[in-house]
Structures are given as C-alpha cells and as structure tokens.
Amino acid sequence: MTFRFQIMVISIVFITSLFPQSVIRINQLGYQPDAIKVAVLMSEDGKIPNEFYIEDVFTGQVVFTSKAIKNTGPLGNFKGTARLNFSEFHTNGTFKIIFGNTESPYFRISDTIYNSTPDFILQYMRQQRCGYNPYLKDSCHNHDGFTVYSEDAPGYDSSQTSDLIPNTSYLIPVLGGWHDASDYLQYATTSATAAYQLLFAYKKNPKAFGDWYDRNGDPGANGIPDVLDEARWGLEWLDRMYPGGEEMYQQIADDRDHQMFRLPTEDSVNYGKGLYRPVYRVTGKPQGLMKYKNRSTGVASIAGKFASTMALGSELMQSIDPEFSARLHKKAIEAYEYGEKYPGISQTAPCKAPYFYEEENWVDDMELAAAQLYAVTGDAGYLNNARKYGIMEEITPWIGADTASHYQWFPFINLGHYLIAGDKSDSSDQFAKFYQNGLDKLYNRGKDDPFFIGVPYIWCSNNLVSAAMTQAKLYHELTGDQKFLEMEASLRDWLFGCNPWGTSMIVGLPKWGDFPVDPHSAFTHVYNYPVDGGLVDGPIYSTIFGKLIGIHLAEPDEYARFQPGRAVYHDDWGDYSTNEPTMDGTAGLAIYLSSFFKTTKEDVKETAKNAEDAKGEKLNEKSVESASSAFYQTFYKGALIRLDSTKKNIALMFTGHEFADGHKTITETLNKFNIKGNFFFTGDFYRNPQFSEIIKELKKSGHYLGAHSDKHLLYNSWEKRDSTIVSKATFEKDVIDNYREMLKFDISKNDAPWFLPPYEWYNNEIASWTEGLGLKLINFTPGTKSNQDWTIPSGSYYFSSDSIYSTFANFEESSTNGMNGFLLLTHFGTHPERIDKFYAKLEQLILHLKQKGYKFVRL
C-alpha cells in the first residue's frame, strides 16, 4: 500500500467517523407540554433499539423512558427509520433524546414556545412591501402603472368612449401591496389571499398579535395590532386595484421582471414605458403579451378573492377607519356580483416563460366570498349561495392528488367550509365532513411515512403542509375529533425541522436552530440582508426539479446525505424551486401559529403585579391585557438591558468569577436596607470551596443567584462584536456546566432563568443560543460606568470609584427617566491591585437613590 493511498484511506475513515450512523429529527422550536410529540430516527445501519430516553440537559438526569417506537422502514440512504413518541412526557424544560448511541439536538418544552411566532413572520411581510418599504427605509415602483388588456374587459363597448381605456396609455395609481416572492411581481390572487388570512388569523386569535410597529411598518406602537396594519397595507392596494363595478386589475409586471437580482428600490426593468410597469386588467380571457398565454375562462376566481377579503376587511377596519370600511363593504358586494356574472377562472399572465399561477378552480373563492358576506351582512341569500358553491367542490382538489400544476388549486385551504360549518346551521355537519374527507385522504397517504407526510411534493409543498395542518386544526375545533392530531403535529414539526434535512423551513425561526441561510432572494444573496419570517417553497419531486428551466446549485449540496430520493430540498440561492420564500405562504402560517398563543397563570400574575406597581391600582385578569401596554423594557441585541422605564425600580446586580472580597460589605449593606440583590457567578466561582459558605448565606437570605458562564469564556470578538468565536456546542456546554454547579446548592434553572454573559459581552447569536436553552439573556443598563469598577491602575485604562460615582450621579440627574428600571451592575470582588473598591460606596449609592424615591427589586 502506497503512502498516498494510506493517507486517503485514513482520511475516508476519519471523514466517515465524523457522521453518526443515526440522526434524530425534532421540532427545533419546541413543544407545548400537552402536545403530541414525536421525533424521527434515521438510521444508516438500520438498527432500531427498543427503548429511548429523555435527559434534562441542565441536570444530566434521565427524566423519561419509553418504548413507544414505530418502525417505518428505509428512507434514502438510511436503512431504517422510526417514530419515537414521547407525548406522555409533559414537563417544562430543555431536553435531549438518547436512542442507543444517538442523541438529538436540544429541544424545549414550554406552554409559550409559539407565542412570538405570529409576529415574527410579519417581519417578512413588511420586507415585501411595495411602495414605501420600512425595511429599506425607501420607496420603490412609484410609477405603477399603465394598463394592459383594458379593451378585452367584459362589457367593453368600443362605441362608448366612456368605456374606452386605451391599452397602454391609461395610467392607474396602484402603488402599494406586497411583492409576491423574491421577484417583484404583484398578484391580487396571492395578495388577496394573504390579506384575508392575516385578517382571519386576527379575528380568531387577537391576543396572539402585538403592537410594535406603526401603519408604515416602522418601529413604534400606534395602538393597532401589527397584523391589522399589515393586512391594511394589502387592503389599500386591493382597493386601488379594484376601482369598482367591472373594472378590476389583478397583476403588476410580468416575468420580464426576472432579469437580475436587485433590491426593489433599484428596479430599472423597462416594460416599454420607462419605469412604469404594466397593470393587467381582469378580462376573463386568455392573456400573455409574448410567447406564452394563460387559460382564463372567467373572472369568478379573482372576483371572489376580492369580495371575501374586502368583506372581512370592512368588518375589522370599522373601528379603525369607518370611511375605508364602508368603501370596502360596497366593493365586496360589487366584486361578488361581478364574479357571479362571469363564472370561471382568471389565471395570472405569463410572458416570456411558461410559468404562471395555473389556478383551475373558482367555486371555492365564490363560496368563501358568499360565506363572508353572509357573516358581515346577515343576508341569508349569501349563505344559500355559499352552500351551493361549497357542494360543488367538497375537497380542495390537490388533497389526495400525487401531482399538480403550479397553484393549480388555490387557495390551498377552503376557509369557506369552516365558515359554513361554524355557522351551526342545518348544513354545518356536512361541511365539517368535507374537511374530514380531505384529511382522511392525507392521513392514508402519510400514515406509513416516517414523518407522517401525505402532501404531494409539488412546487410550494410547504404551502400545502401549512394548509393541511390548518385544516386539521380547524376541523378539530369544529368537531373535537382527535383522529388527525398526530398528523397535524407531524405537519407542524416538519416545518420546524422534523424532516429528512433537519432544517426549519421558516427563515430565522427558531433563531437558535438550523434554518435557510441561503434563500433565493436578492436581499440575502446580493446584500446579505436576512429575510426573517419567510416560509420557503419546500421540497419538490426530484423529477420536477430535473426539468425546471435555469435552475442550478451554486454550492455543493450540504444535504446530499439526507436527500430521501423521490424529493429534494436545497438551501441554495440557485434553487428557486425549493428555497424561495413566498409572501402568501408566509401569511398563511398566521392562522395556525396564532392559535397556539398561551398566557400562563404566572404571566397573568406577574403582569398584574407589575401593572399595579406602575398604576397603583388593583387589576383582574381582564384588565391585564390593557395594562401590559404600560411596560417599557429595553432590549439590545436580544438581551434585556433595562426594566420598565416608567417605574422607579432598580435591580442591583453583582458578578463574580475569581474574587469575592466584597462579599461582607455588600451583604451587610443589603441586609441593612432589607434589599435583595442579584448575584451572577461563574461555575468556577460556585465550585470554589472558599466561596461555598458565601453562596449558602446569599441563598438563605433570599437573594437571586444566577449564572455567568462556567469558565468566563469570551464568546465573541472584542473588535468585531458580531463575530462569534466559540461554537454553539462550546457555548451550550459552558452554560450547562455553570448550572450543574449551581445545582449543588439546590439552585435550578427554574430558580435562575436569567443568564448574564461573561465580560457582559455578547451578540445576537449568543442571545439566540441562550433562548434555545430556555434561558433569558440579561445585561447591565449602560450609562453609569458602574461596571468599570474592576479596572486597575496598571491597566490600559482606569476608573476610580469617585469618578464612577460622579458619572452615576450625573446620569441620574440629567437623564429624562433618571435610572428607572436600571440594571445596575458592579463586581462582587476585584483584583487585589485595585485598593479603591467601589463596593465601599454601596451604602452611599443606596441612600442617594432611596432619597430620589427608587425601590430595589429582585429579578
């Protein structure tokens, strides 16, 4: 054997050893305690043990054992797979699954794990805005647009000049709305559906949405939930696209847009009239300005979408803008009548390429429009029509199909069925049955799949997953039938990483997990801007992928080992078929994610307590929601750096690693004033036998004792803060080891949920990893220099105790809110070279602040 060949063999063995023989896929976001919880094992050697364990990562103890294992056969390169059911485990915390020699990633179990997700996906919707774009702080497509196909519109009469709208000279102001995906086309088909689903989500689950942005999408609350602000952005565009009567427009631009990756504000594509883009009028006839044409037969599919969205919008906008609401109400009725007059489909228009939204069903759109108009007007005639249309399409046709054209049956979920079934009329059971029949088809297709997935892997398969799990959720709500709960959970888990590739399908969610980082998007690929919140298309059949025009992989396939064979997914900007976020797919998640919002009893109690302190009044649970708007906490790079700035509360924080020389002065001073302090110590501090009695004394006195890392590692570069210099595994071990030392003093993770990073230095990635462990990152409030009490005279810089105290006093005097909510950090001990100890001034500091009316709080 030659030396070169020996090296090659050794290299192959080494590389192979880097990969475990098995992997466990989980929902990376986590699970609610009472949810159905199933992980999936993928085994390359086919070995399936008969038992698995769950370990609490903070204690290292096995907390659950189970034999609930279902073998599900081979998948791609893996000779065996199995479903590991741990639904009977209900404990809150952070855990991992151990199955033979294989361990899962860490995962969380928490009632509130989904609480922030509905607002998170709205980030992508705001980034997709046309006109003023709050992400870019700039505007785009200000010249939209000039009309095309006006002379082909229904009812056009060339003898009536009042009806004459010349083909390319009539300009119509239609600025606004959302870009459809990573290109800058705009379609009423998808935009109306997205707006309706946002409105529907809010109506069903209003408490799930916060108010952090204004109407323009800029930071700052405006008293209106952000989801309604976002839906209104879409509604206002639809209002412009539908002047009324039989003048309706459904598309801006066409595939001539696909010339280059650029930001929307830099769009210079010329459609023959400078920066003006074509606006396609609804005609009910085939359209396509160049080689390719669609197959339109009527207007009902698009008119129905306008009608349903405007009807629901009129209801929810009533209290916000009555005049706008009234206009939407009027147009909803007109759009519905337009659809009834011209039944059939109105497809989007292709141009140079054969790709377009090939929608072939329309009765579902008219059903939803009629059902929504009935809900708004109470006119029974609409309900009768809704039933008529609903019976014509009992099951959305993609359900049960093995393949379909692009958006052949859209929307992917029939919400009209839900409205009729929820009306509790004579036909309600019938329409709930329609949902059941569709879910049965999905169930039977997916029941033997390792991931319990029965949707076809067509273009935008993730949209089908979202629609299916939403239908299952709504069906369970209507009937209480539990048959589809495991399938629903599997569909949900699929989107968050329990899939062959082990990646979330939503960009940036969860922040601590594996998610698309190279999506087909100019924002990311060219400008390195994240497209957080966007749902990517998802896997497609390998046969479809192989036939698409202009598709390629820019980098080697990082998921090659896990590709299941018949379907592929790539986190690669060159793959527009599986890794492009879509606006309508993202909006569709709002209904489902908002349904999981939970307010725990502890949240209610804490909110009420904080609000009482702030307002001086007693609150009941009903008033908690309004009181929560009084909270003004400050976060920086994912860490809490200030408590409520409207309240004169201060938390005194002390950190310790090597030194504890201040313990006597600090503890005696705190005890003198009956103040509870907040102490954050490293693992080395906790394991140091010299400090053992100090820790016990602090705990006995009721002070907060928390974590400050195990070894006081530097997590990220001093020079380039966003550059993390430790691996995620190193970080997690450092934090967990710190907590395991705390356990020796009977201090659990639940006792100490706040984590203060070493050196008080961190970045967004560290904050995300902290959240992934189920902890909350905290840091000092800047401005007083109190944290510089560690500096020594021989160092590169030095702050005397007098100078620190002077800075602190000046800040309190000059700042608008003083030190309200301050997290005031000093050190528990300092290097012996520093003789000038700032903790000697603690009593003076406390007296000064008490005279100013401040209270001192324990975290």
Side-chain angles (χ1 to χ4, degrees):
M1 183 183 291
T2 66
F3 177 74
R4 176 180 294 180
F5 186 66
Q6 286 177 327
I7 294 296
M8 184 174 67
V9 170
I10 292 171
S11 299
I12 292 172
V13 171
F14 174 72
I15 292 171
T16 302
S17 69
L18 293 178
F19 297 111
Q21 290 294 304
S22 301
V23 293
I24 298 174
R25 300 308 194 197
I26 56 160
N27 180 325
Q28 297 178 83
L29 182 66
Y31 307 86
Q32 291 182 318
D34 294 331
I36 290 179
K37 299 178 281 289
V38 181
V40 175
L41 172 79
M42 299 166 60
S43 171
E44 284 183 325
D45 60 13
K47 295 179 180 178
I48 309 293
N50 59 10
E51 194 170 47
F52 68 93
Y53 311 91
I54 293 180
E55 179 183 296
D56 184 317
V57 301
F58 282 92
T59 67
Q61 301 298 310
V62 171
V63 290
F64 183 77
T65 303
S66 177
K67 295 184 178 182
I69 301 167
K70 178 184 177 182
N71 291 348
T72 45
L75 181 72
N77 295 321
F78 295 85
K79 296 179 181 178
T81 61
R83 291 177 61 78
L84 317 179
N85 194 316
F86 57 105
S87 303
E88 296 303 313
F89 182 63
H90 304 288
T91 304
N92 284 272
T94 308
F95 309 95
K96 64 180 178 182
I97 296 171
I98 302 173
F99 197 46
N101 295 322
T102 305
E103 296 183 356
S104 75
Y106 299 158
F107 61 88
R108 293 175 55 189
I109 296 180
S110 168
D111 266 320
T112 59
I113 195 71
Y114 287 88
N115 277 11
S116 63
T117 58
D119 281 331
F120 186 86
I121 63 172
L122 292 180
Q123 294 183 70
Y124 183 69
M125 300 300 293
R126 283 188 289 271
Q127 194 177 52
Q128 289 296 105
R129 286 191 181 191
C130 186
Y132 175 69
N133 187 295
Y135 186 86
L136 298 172
K137 305 297 182 188
D138 199 358
S139 296
C140 64
H141 302 118
N142 291 308
H143 297 82
D144 288 343
F146 67 90
T147 67
V148 293
Y149 287 108
S150 290
E151 70 275 23
D152 295 327
Y156 171 77
D157 183 354
S158 60
S159 67
Q160 301 294 320
T161 56
S162 61
D163 291 335
L164 181 61
I165 303 176
N167 190 31
T168 61
S169 62
Y170 177 68
L171 300 181
I172 180 170
V174 288
L175 182 65
W178 301 292
H179 301 123
D180 196 57
S182 293
D183 50 38
Y184 303 127
L185 282 72
Q186 292 177 256
Y187 301 111
T189 296
T190 50
S191 295
T193 300
Y196 183 89
Q197 291 177 334
L198 293 177
L199 293 166
F200 185 84
Y202 174 75
K203 184 172 182 180
K204 284 189 62 62
N205 308 298
K207 292 184 178 181
F209 298 94
D211 176 19
W212 306 100
Y213 295 85
D214 65 17
R215 180 174 170 180
N216 288 329
D218 289 321
N222 65 345
I224 299 171
D226 295 334
V227 68
L228 289 186
D229 282 326
E230 202 57 40
R232 181 170 184 170
W233 190 263
L235 284 168
E236 289 174 339
W237 181 72
L238 293 172
D239 182 36
R240 299 183 191 107
M241 292 287 283
Y242 181 39
E246 295 187 6
E247 184 184 355
M248 179 180 287
Y249 300 87
Q250 72 170 7
Q251 178 175 329
I252 300 179
D254 50 49
D255 57 43
R256 285 173 286 179
D257 166 278
H258 301 168
Q259 295 186 18
M260 68 199 81
F261 262 178
R262 75 280 184 200
L263 291 177
T265 50
E266 300 172 356
D267 191 0
S268 59
V269 175
N270 191 322
Y271 294 88
K273 291 182 72 68
L275 293 178
Y276 292 87
R277 300 193 298 172
V279 185
Y280 285 73
R281 184 166 178 177
V282 174
T283 66
K285 302 172 185 177
Q287 294 181 351
L289 295 177
M290 294 187 181
K291 179 179 180 180
Y292 296 98
K293 310 288 182 184
N294 66 25
R295 303 180 298 276
S296 296
T297 63
V299 307
S301 64
I302 187 63
K305 292 182 179 70
F306 270 95
S308 58
T309 305
M310 288 180 157
L312 182 54
S314 71
E315 176 186 338
L316 296 181
M317 293 293 121
Q318 175 63 40
S319 61
I320 298 172
D321 188 338
E323 182 179 345
F324 182 48
S325 170
R327 187 164 68 249
L328 291 176
H329 183 92
K330 179 177 180 293
K331 288 187 177 183
I333 294 172
E334 291 180 6
Y336 179 77
E337 292 172 350
Y338 187 28
E340 283 212 303
K341 186 175 180 180
Y342 301 101
I345 53 172
S346 183
Q347 299 177 334
T348 64
C351 190
K352 298 170 66 176
Y355 303 135
F356 60 99
Y357 290 153
E358 303 180 59
E359 186 174 6
E360 290 187 357
N361 58 335
W362 58 271
V363 296
D364 59 330
D365 298 301
M366 293 300 290
E367 176 193 356
L368 179 58
Q372 192 61 62
L373 280 166
Y374 167 68
V376 171
T377 67
D379 185 339
Y382 287 122
L383 179 58
N384 291 333
N385 285 346
R387 292 169 180 158
K388 174 189 71 175
Y389 287 123
I391 291 171
M392 293 170 67
E393 187 178 281
E394 298 180 6
I395 300 174
T396 303
W398 73 262
I399 297 177
D402 190 56
T403 189
S405 300
H406 190 43
Y407 279 58
Q408 183 175 357
W409 298 297
F410 183 76
F412 302 116
I413 180 173
N414 187 331
L415 293 174
H417 282 0
Y418 174 79
L419 294 184
I420 298 172
D423 184 59
K424 302 303 179 186
S425 60
D426 293 340
S427 58
S428 60
D429 290 344
Q430 178 186 19
F431 280 80
K433 184 71 173 177
F434 293 164
Y435 264 1
Q436 178 187 350
N437 293 342
L439 293 169
D440 272 326
K441 288 178 177 289
L442 290 170
Y443 184 95
N444 291 328
R445 282 176 57 90
K447 63 183 180 181
D448 296 323
D449 182 87
F451 295 94
F452 210 148
I453 299 296
V455 305
Y457 296 118
I458 58 175
W459 209 339
C460 294
S461 65
N462 279 343
N463 292 9
L464 307 185
V465 171
S466 174
M469 68 189 191
T470 301
Q471 182 164 321
K473 184 79 172 178
L474 295 176
Y475 171 74
H476 180 255
E477 176 190 320
L478 289 168
T479 67
D481 186 354
Q482 300 187 33
K483 177 179 179 180
F484 306 112
L485 292 183
E486 183 177 345
M487 180 180 74
E488 176 198 330
S490 298
L491 292 163
R492 173 180 70 240
D493 295 346
W494 174 273
L495 294 184
F496 287 109
C498 192
N499 54 54
W501 308 274
T503 180
S504 168
M505 296 292 175
I506 304 170
V507 179
L509 190 64
K511 294 176 289 185
W512 56 85
D514 185 300
F515 53 79
V517 295
D518 191 20
H520 182 81
S521 167
F523 275 88
T524 301
H525 178 63
V526 180
Y527 302 93
N528 203 32
Y529 297 151
V531 288
D532 284 347
L535 175 69
V536 298
D537 291 330
I540 63 170
Y541 289 120
S542 303
T543 52
I544 297 178
F545 178 79
K547 296 176 182 178
L548 292 174
I549 299 171
I551 206 161
H552 71 288
L553 294 187
E555 302 288 343
D557 181 8
E558 63 189 290
Y559 295 128
R561 177 178 173 229
F562 305 109
Q563 300 292 1
R566 65 182 184 130
V568 295
Y569 168 75
H570 307 104
D571 183 11
D572 191 301
W573 73 267
D575 182 359
Y576 61 80
S577 67
T578 74
N579 207 38
E580 180 177 13
T582 62
M583 171 272 299
D584 64 293
T586 300
L589 289 173
I591 302 171
Y592 189 79
L593 294 178
S594 63
S595 69
F596 284 92
F597 180 82
K598 287 283 185 71
T599 300
T600 66
K601 292 181 179 179
E602 289 72 20
D603 292 333
V604 171
K605 290 177 182 177
E606 185 65 18
T607 303
K609 179 181 181 299
N610 289 341
E612 286 173 20
D613 291 342
K615 293 187 171 185
E617 60 184 6
K618 294 294 181 181
L619 297 172
N620 56 37
E621 288 191 17
K622 292 182 179 179
S623 59
V624 164
E625 185 178 359
S626 61
S628 64
S629 63
F631 301 162
Y632 296 91
Q633 294 180 335
T634 304
F635 291 82
Y636 180 69
K637 291 187 178 293
L640 176 68
I641 63 168
R642 191 168 187 170
L643 303 175
D644 190 341
S645 61
T646 67
K647 297 191 292 187
K648 295 181 76 67
N649 287 340
I650 292 177
L652 297 177
M653 302 199 304
F654 306 88
T655 60
H657 175 50
E658 298 176 90
F659 308 112
D661 47 282
H663 81 273
K664 185 175 181 181
T665 300
I666 291 170
T667 54
E668 288 181 352
T669 303
L670 294 179
N671 290 338
K672 179 178 180 179
F673 293 100
N674 195 28
I675 292 172
K676 303 303 179 186
N678 304 279
F679 297 86
F680 293 86
F681 298 141
T682 64
D684 280 346
F685 189 100
Y686 282 108
R687 69 171 59 90
N688 188 329
Q690 297 180 46
F691 303 153
S692 178
E693 292 305 315
I694 296 173
I695 295 167
K696 291 177 182 177
E697 177 189 336
L698 290 171
K699 185 175 185 297
K700 183 178 180 181
S701 298
H703 299 289
Y704 179 94
L705 288 168
H708 191 44
S709 85
D710 191 56
K711 295 294 184 182
H712 209 258
L713 303 178
L714 182 64
Y715 292 154
N716 49 303
S717 168
W718 287 114
E719 295 78 18
K720 190 177 179 182
R721 184 168 189 161
D722 287 338
S723 177
T724 306
I725 57 177
V726 297
S727 68
K728 183 181 179 184
T730 297
F731 167 81
E732 290 175 337
K733 183 178 188 303
D734 190 51
V735 175
I736 289 168
D737 285 350
N738 190 172
Y739 275 87
R740 291 192 179 180
E741 289 300 322
M742 292 162 61
L743 271 178
K744 296 174 182 177
F745 295 91
D746 198 26
I747 304 168
S748 71
K749 168 178 166 280
N750 291 336
D751 298 323
W754 295 100
F755 173 65
L756 184 69
Y759 300 101
E760 295 77 59
W761 193 244
Y762 65 99
N763 56 26
N764 283 316
E765 189 167 43
I766 296 302
S768 297
W769 291 350
T770 302
E771 187 178 354
L773 287 172
L775 301 171
K776 296 180 284 189
L777 198 66
I778 194 168
N779 204 28
F780 66 88
T781 309
T784 68
K785 300 295 185 184
S786 68
N787 61 303
Q788 298 295 333
D789 66 332
W790 62 271
T791 55
I792 55 177
S794 63
S796 56
Y797 61 93
Y798 175 67
F799 293 90
S800 69
S801 294
D802 284 341
S803 68
I804 293 173
Y805 192 89
S806 177
T807 302
F808 142 78
N810 290 337
F811 182 94
E812 196 284 326
E813 189 69 32
S814 61
S815 178
T816 302
N817 291 321
M819 293 180 64
N820 291 357
F822 243 64
L823 299 167
L824 190 66
L825 183 142
T826 57
H827 290 81
F828 198 57
T830 59
H831 194 280
E833 185 182 330
R834 182 177 182 114
I835 301 174
D836 179 22
K837 306 290 188 177
F838 184 70
Y839 53 73
K841 293 183 177 291
L842 180 60
E843 181 171 348
Q844 180 184 354
L845 181 149
I846 290 172
L847 285 170
H848 178 85
L849 292 172
K850 285 178 73 70
Q851 289 171 359
K852 295 282 187 175
Y854 292 96
K855 297 179 181 179
F856 297 90
V857 298
R858 182 188 189 276
L859 292 172

